[in-house]
Amino acid sequence: MDAPIQQEVAAAHPKAAIVTTCILAALAGLMFGLDIGVISGATQFIQAEFKVRDHMIEWIVSSMMAGAAIGALGAGWMSASLGRKRSLIFAGIVFIAGSLFCAVAWSPAILIVARLVLGVAIGVATFTAPLYLAEVAPEKIRGAMISTYQLMITTGILLAFLSDTAFSASGNWRWMLGIIAAPGVLFLIGLFFLPDSPRWLLMRGRREDAQIVLAKLRGDEAVVKKEIAAIDEQLKTKQHGWSMFKENANFRRSVGLGVLLQAVQQFTGMNVVMYYAPRIFKDMGYDTHAQMWFTAAVGLTNVLATLIAFAFVDRLGRKPILYAGFTIMAVGLGVVGTMMGLGINSRGEQFFTVGMLLVFIVGFAMSAGPLIWTLCSEVQPLKGRDFGIAASTFTNWVTNMIVGATFLSLLSGIGNAQTFWLYAALNALFIFVTFFLVPETKGVTLEQIEHNLMSGKPLRKIGQ
Ligand code: BGC
């Protein structure tokens, strides 16, 4: 190996380099979560200031998801041509600009545009950050890194809920939406210290730069050589997503599965609670102060229950956890709907209903929250992985938007109880979807999954 690379190896502090990368993982996930969580506490004050109807609020909420869908579509191209690091820097800048733009929005229409801009940043970041992480993390901690990312999403949501709660005393929604630019600045500064992804550098033919980066990250010449050889080998498999999609029916099945799984994740109704929790608590009879604190409790429950998934996913497998999660969610929402139908009058009934909503949150956070993302990356064959993941991530945002844009209309159109029953029924249906279509991928190599898929095995059996 060349002298400069040997020097890098000698001077390397691989632990420090990996810690820095972990911090980035944390911050990118945090941005995602902040963006999801920040709007819930602000809507009632926005509605009061602009005197708009529920329908307009739905669009203010959902324009962010529309932006994210657009961002996720463009992110594949951007991360390939500009590189992962520069795409993330782009996302960081747009995130800061978008948050500040939201804070100064002078009309509902401008707020919609500002949230759309903010969404683009998140769309790019949600595609690029996990990709970057998977490319720089050492093999041993790759799984842990992706899990950390999911935990940070929920932490971001919790922080946004807490910050909204703090600002709710003054009712200042502009501060609520603007303050998230501050962690955005930290994210952006952090990005400048990161190396380019070695895989991307090799894709671009910058072999020596790739070796130097890996030397810094691994601090071991033999490991660097091995990884470079492995990446070279992988790069021989060119990405042929679109042509493969047109020609190969088996690949269409895995893309379809990814798309279906992300739609399932969103139609659990989780984001109804993420975006409209204070409104739901209002309909249960709570005042603004209590609404905000219960929303914070929702955020905390979401973080804590995500840890359950970490503990069990590699022991029990994906399917049992999904069965448990969908059952818990169906029961939780079914009971919330029933209580709303019967009328929530006493303190005891109020607490019970809040408790059942928290049960629903536990069901999601321990199962579909982290697992759907994991499954979506596991089921795609190597040649079509970028295409498949882009399709499912795009679906996540489009269905997320549909859920966000219809909730208040459902409440007024079919009624509170019926809306929650509808989501309860969908969760019950997802138990069957899991049974018939979801493979068990615990402890199976990606190569085995690909082999089974391509040889035409039914989807639920491609993990065997
Ligand atoms: C979902 C988001 C959701 C979050 C809640 C993620 O896995 O994709 O839509 O808001 O979990 O924790």
Side-chain angles (χ1 to χ4, degrees):
M1 205 167 270
D2 305 353
I5 293 146
Q6 277 162 356
Q7 277 167 19
E8 291 297 342
V9 167
H13 298 284
K15 281 223 176 82
I18 290 305
V19 168
T20 322
T21 318
C22 276
I23 292 174
L24 169 88
L27 286 178
L30 208 71
M31 300 288 106
F32 182 177
L34 287 172
D35 242 9
I36 292 265
V38 76
I39 198 66
S40 72
T43 49
Q44 53 183 315
F45 303 109
I46 295 172
Q47 199 157 19
E49 181 175 329
F50 289 138
K51 305 201 173 32
V52 287
R53 289 175 191 275
D54 279 354
H55 197 54
M56 186 58 99
I57 291 296
E58 286 178 332
W59 279 109
I60 292 173
V61 170
S62 309
S63 51
M64 189 274 281
M65 289 82 95
I70 299 170
L73 270 191
W77 166 83
M78 197 190 276
S79 62
S81 54
L82 291 183
R84 285 68 164 131
K85 179 176 167 176
R86 263 176 276 168
S87 298
L88 286 172
I89 290 177
F90 168 84
I93 294 172
V94 177
F95 182 88
I96 297 166
S99 321
L100 297 177
F101 192 17
C102 285
V104 298
W106 53 92
S107 71
I110 295 297
L111 187 53
I112 289 177
V113 176
R115 297 239 330 136
L116 195 90
V117 172
L118 187 63
V120 170
I122 287 305
V124 173
T126 51
F127 179 87
T128 315
L131 181 72
Y132 175 85
L133 284 171
E135 290 176 352
V136 293
E139 181 90 44
K140 268 192 299 192
I141 64 162
R142 194 167 296 160
M145 208 86 143
I146 299 291
S147 317
T148 309
Y149 181 71
Q150 174 68 25
L151 192 63
M152 282 301 129
I153 297 175
T154 56
T155 306
I157 296 176
L158 172 63
L159 287 180
F161 285 171
L162 287 174
S163 137
D164 280 5
T165 304
F167 285 114
S168 68
S170 62
N172 197 330
W173 63 266
R174 294 181 185 278
W175 270 99
M176 290 180 188
L177 300 190
I179 193 75
I180 60 171
V185 171
L186 278 183
F187 175 58
L188 186 60
I189 296 175
L191 290 176
F192 283 99
F193 292 98
L194 287 175
D196 273 310
S197 141
R199 186 168 191 266
W200 179 75
L201 289 168
L202 282 175
M203 270 161 67
R204 295 260 128 183
R206 290 166 57 185
R207 179 158 297 271
E208 192 169 326
D209 290 339
Q211 286 170 335
I212 290 179
V213 168
L214 269 180
K216 281 194 181 124
L217 288 173
R218 306 289 184 260
D220 179 333
E221 230 181 287
V223 176
V224 174
K225 273 192 192 154
K226 221 171 102 193
E227 270 197 55
I228 294 271
I231 300 174
D232 278 340
E233 193 54 42
Q234 262 189 9
L235 288 180
K236 282 190 199 146
T237 316
K238 293 247 176 318
Q239 286 288 317
H240 287 301
W242 177 235
S243 51
M244 195 167 155
F245 186 77
K246 282 184 294 184
E247 287 152 20
N248 190 318
N250 284 320
F251 179 49
R252 284 199 292 276
R253 292 191 305 142
S254 67
V255 173
L257 180 62
V259 163
L260 175 76
L261 284 173
Q262 286 290 6
V264 162
Q265 192 205 49
Q266 292 304 313
F267 286 113
T268 57
M270 175 61 168
N271 282 322
V272 158
V273 186
M274 295 297 104
Y275 301 136
Y276 298 109
R279 167 66 181 262
I280 296 172
F281 293 127
K282 186 174 166 207
D283 289 354
M284 290 181 190
Y286 286 104
D287 64 14
T288 307
H289 188 68
Q291 287 164 30
M292 300 304 286
W293 280 109
F294 281 132
T295 303
V298 163
L300 182 64
T301 308
N302 190 21
V303 175
L304 295 179
T306 303
L307 297 173
I308 305 180
F310 291 1
F312 292 112
V313 67
D314 285 324
R315 252 189 283 166
L316 298 181
R318 282 65 167 144
K319 286 183 82 153
I321 296 184
L322 284 176
Y323 289 136
F326 291 130
T327 308
I328 294 172
M329 285 190 270
V331 171
L333 287 185
V335 175
V336 170
T338 305
M339 292 305 290
M340 288 197 159
L342 293 173
I344 303 165
N345 301 311
S346 67
R347 259 260 172 290
E349 287 166 0
Q350 276 182 327
F351 273 120
F352 176 66
T353 317
V354 172
M356 290 314 284
L357 195 70
L358 294 180
V359 165
F360 162 75
I361 300 292
V362 170
F364 179 90
M366 62 173 262
S367 66
L371 285 194
I372 298 290
W373 289 103
T374 312
L375 279 164
C376 280
S377 63
E378 288 174 337
V379 298
Q380 304 302 345
L382 190 57
K383 273 187 192 160
R385 188 153 296 152
D386 290 1
F387 179 87
I389 295 179
S392 55
T393 305
F394 177 70
T395 308
N396 176 279
W397 286 112
V398 172
T399 45
N400 192 333
M401 183 180 77
I402 295 172
V403 166
T406 51
F407 182 61
L408 298 180
S409 303
L410 280 174
L411 290 184
S412 60
I414 63 172
N416 286 13
Q418 289 76 358
T419 303
F420 285 98
W421 284 335
L422 173 68
Y423 279 110
L426 284 172
N427 278 293
L429 176 73
F430 298 153
I431 298 174
F432 295 97
V433 173
T434 307
F435 181 78
F436 287 110
L437 291 172
V438 178
E440 179 54 80
T441 53
K442 181 190 89 171
V444 194
T445 64
L446 298 184
E447 289 71 26
Q448 186 62 37
I449 296 175
E450 175 162 350
H451 174 79
N452 291 339
L453 173 79
M454 290 308 179
S455 60
K457 273 197 176 179
L459 286 173
R460 57 187 282 233
K461 297 206 169 133
I462 60 175
Q464 289 167 6

